[in-house]
Amino acid sequence: MLAIGLTLQIGGLVMLSALDPAWSAAASVAWVVCAQGISGVAKDLTKTASKSAIKASSQQGAGQLFRWVAWFTGSKNAMKGFGFFLGGFLLQAVGFRQALWLLVALLAMALVGVLLSLPRELGKAKASKSFKELFAKNRGVNLLAAARVFMFGSRDIWFVVGLPVFLYSQGWNYVGVSTFLAAWTIGYGGVQALAPQVVRRSQDGLSREVPEARLWGVALAIIPIALGLMLATGAVGRPDLVVVAGLAIFGFAFAVNSSLHSYLILAYAGSEKAAEDVGFYYAANAAGRLGGILLSGLLTQYAGLEGCLWGSAAMLAACAFLTFMLPSDRKAPLTA
């Protein structure tokens, strides 16, 4: 799965490098959308394989699993933020097509390393034979997947369209907006990596971690409510600075909560079908992001950033409600 994901990513970049400026606008957009779609599938295959490998190779209990998941998730998102800067630098330094080919070369090196160094049997398991079996997850996995839909929808509902449009309307330029988004993403990844030092942990891996997820879920929901009220009253002199500061706090709480959820999905996942459980979870993640992006455009058009923040609060309230239903004892029945 990891090799297929890396190969698809290479294919998506090669396809994007073939874009011809002489094509019509419609053909260019269709080509880019297809290339981005391939890259999206590649990313989720790679991420699912990597986190499943963590589950399969962790041998020292819940403490090690949490540390490894937090480090992996945090470093991944910090690298994503660094990608904002790297992409801009490569475009400026070597140009569009050459930048893509350089990325292809780096990915090819990673693919060769994977094929030569990782054991072939790592995480190998019997696959589900039917859709019914595929979706017959335990209660913890199902509830976490549902919570993930709302949690990541709550971020993208303001992050994708609402926030950039709002900052532009406040006089920010493109560099300022992109720098803030990159810094937010890098900081978010850094906090994720440090989550095990922030969260109380238990020997069994659930009895303290689940209540912590509930606590951070409620705290996270309060932040967009507070920001929405501030914008609604119009009492702040620099709403852009208030929003930036508030969303920095949101990023901290969101990073801890996301890291907790990433750990819990592996704690609940069955060892024989960890890849399927994690893949199911990230399918829910993708569904939440799709809904959040669509709502971000709609709410920005009709209600501005304030409407996006209220939509985020509603999604986080649903996420917190589902988190309170998570089983916190391994002896409790986990079946749906």
Side-chain angles (χ1 to χ4, degrees), residues 126-137 273 276:
K126 183 180 179 182
S128 293
K129 297 180 179 180
S130 65
F131 277 105
K132 182 178 180 181
E133 186 180 348
L134 178 64
F135 286 96
K137 306 301 177 185
K273 291 188 178 181
E276 280 194 4

Side-chain angles (χ1 to χ4, degrees), residues 154 157-158 217-231 246-247 250 305-306 308-317:
S154 76
I157 201 172
W158 58 261
V218 172
L220 186 60
I222 292 172
I223 299 170
I225 293 175
L227 287 174
L229 289 173
M230 289 181 186
L231 291 180
L247 292 180
F250 180 97
L305 181 63
E306 184 181 332
C308 293
L309 291 170
W310 288 116
S312 177
M315 283 191 163
L316 287 171

Side-chain angles (χ1 to χ4, degrees), residues 207-300:
S207 59
R208 285 187 178 178
E209 287 81 355
V210 172
E212 286 284 297
R214 295 166 182 164
L215 174 65
W216 283 98
V218 172
L220 186 60
I222 292 172
I223 299 170
I225 293 175
L227 287 174
L229 289 173
M230 289 181 186
L231 291 180
T233 58
V236 292
R238 286 291 303 273
D240 56 330
L241 298 182
V242 171
V243 166
V244 166
L247 292 180
I249 299 171
F250 180 97
F252 183 92
F254 188 91
V256 174
N257 210 28
S258 177
S259 191
L260 265 169
H261 282 217
S262 293
Y263 159 73
L264 288 173
I265 187 61
L266 292 181
Y268 286 130
S271 58
E272 292 186 357
K273 291 188 178 181
E276 280 194 4
D277 290 341
V278 174
F280 179 74
Y281 174 72
Y282 282 114
N285 182 94
R289 297 196 65 179
L290 174 62
I293 290 169
L294 293 174
L295 286 172
S296 186
L298 288 171
L299 290 175
T300 300

Side-chain angles (χ1 to χ4, degrees), residues 67-335:
R67 289 193 303 272
W68 283 8
V69 170
W71 182 87
F72 173 83
T73 306
S75 62
K76 172 184 68 69
N77 284 306
M79 185 59 66
K80 184 192 301 182
F82 175 69
F84 284 114
F85 293 114
L86 180 62
F89 171 77
L90 290 176
L91 285 173
Q92 183 70 31
V94 299
F96 178 74
R97 185 165 298 171
Q98 289 77 10
L100 293 173
W101 279 104
L102 179 59
L103 295 178
V104 166
L106 293 173
L107 283 170
M109 292 171 59
L111 176 59
V112 171
V114 164
L115 295 176
L116 293 179
S117 63
L118 289 183
R120 296 301 180 105
E121 299 298 312
L122 180 64
K124 188 174 182 179
K126 183 180 179 182
S128 293
K129 297 180 179 180
S130 65
F131 277 105
K132 182 178 180 181
E133 186 180 348
L134 178 64
F135 286 96
K137 306 301 177 185
N138 68 50
R139 185 166 181 261
V141 171
N142 284 334
L143 287 171
L144 263 180
R148 189 79 169 186
V149 170
F150 291 107
M151 186 169 73
F152 271 78
S154 76
R155 183 192 67 176
D156 285 1
I157 201 172
W158 58 261
F159 190 85
V160 176
V161 180
L163 179 65
V165 170
F166 172 77
L167 293 178
Y168 292 141
S169 72
Q170 296 293 311
W172 287 46
N173 59 28
Y174 293 119
V175 174
V177 173
S178 63
T179 298
F180 172 71
L181 295 179
W184 191 95
T185 307
I186 293 173
Y188 162 72
V191 173
Q192 281 186 311
L194 296 174
Q197 281 70 54
V198 178
V199 174
R200 295 179 303 163
R201 291 180 286 162
S202 61
Q203 290 294 325
D204 60 32
L206 287 178
S207 59
R208 285 187 178 178
E209 287 81 355
V210 172
E212 286 284 297
R214 295 166 182 164
L215 174 65
W216 283 98
V218 172
L220 186 60
I222 292 172
I223 299 170
I225 293 175
L227 287 174
L229 289 173
M230 289 181 186
L231 291 180
T233 58
V236 292
R238 286 291 303 273
D240 56 330
L241 298 182
V242 171
V243 166
V244 166
L247 292 180
I249 299 171
F250 180 97
F252 183 92
F254 188 91
V256 174
N257 210 28
S258 177
S259 191
L260 265 169
H261 282 217
S262 293
Y263 159 73
L264 288 173
I265 187 61
L266 292 181
Y268 286 130
S271 58
E272 292 186 357
K273 291 188 178 181
E276 280 194 4
D277 290 341
V278 174
F280 179 74
Y281 174 72
Y282 282 114
N285 182 94
R289 297 196 65 179
L290 174 62
I293 290 169
L294 293 174
L295 286 172
S296 186
L298 288 171
L299 290 175
T300 300
Q301 184 171 356
Y302 294 106
L305 181 63
E306 184 181 332
C308 293
L309 291 170
W310 288 116
S312 177
M315 283 191 163
L316 287 171
C319 175
F321 174 78
L322 290 165
T323 305
F324 273 89
M325 298 171 65
L326 288 173
S328 57
D329 187 348
R330 292 188 185 277
K331 296 181 181 179
L334 293 178
T335 54

